Amino acid sequence: QVQLVESGGKLVQAGESLRLSCAASGRTSVRYAMAWFRQAPGRERDFVTSISWNGGSTYSADSVKGRFTISRDDAKNTAYLQMNRLEHEDTAVYFCAVGQWASCTAASAYDVWGQGTQVTVAS
């Protein structure tokens, strides 16, 4: 089993950038698809972006296309979420997850989750 720990969340101003990290430990010899989801108060956990097991394919929600970029460094067992031009609507707890297929955007398709990191964007 793999364990995930997110970090990097904080309070920022609208228009600023932020990079989140997701460190994996445990059974990291197996390559997984990795994804970022977010959940705002009172809302469902929404898909943000994902990357395939070999980094060859990425998928993103329309709301973040052109602003957010997912990447992975398998030598460090870490995935990243680079967030640029942040908006107040991006305020949420951000979770990373691993699963089989990066093309899946449903939370139920991902097997292991981190504890989340809070991102707050002041308008």
Side-chain angles (χ1 to χ4, degrees), residues 47-116:
F47 172 79
V48 176
T49 185
S50 60
I51 188 166
S52 61
W53 69 273
N54 62 355
S57 299
T58 62
Y59 304 84
S60 295
D62 288 343
S63 59
V64 305
K65 280 180 182 175
R67 299 190 299 123
F68 290 13
T69 303
I70 188 171
S71 61
R72 62 190 298 161
D73 184 341
D74 290 325
K76 297 181 179 179
N77 295 320
T78 301
Y80 303 98
L81 179 63
Q82 177 67 43
M83 304 185 291
N84 298 327
R85 303 197 309 277
L86 281 159
E87 303 169 354
H88 178 67
E89 291 72 25
D90 296 318
T91 296
V93 177
Y94 283 72
F95 298 89
C96 69
V98 297
Q100 280 198 302
W101 307 109
S103 56
C104 294
T105 61
S108 59
Y110 292 85
D111 307 305
V112 179
W113 294 80
Q115 83 290 347

Side-chain angles (χ1 to χ4, degrees), residues 9-13 16 18 118-122:
K10 66 177 184 179
L11 172 64
V12 296
Q13 297 296 313
E16 293 184 343
L18 192 62
Q118 175 71 48
V119 173
T120 303
V121 184

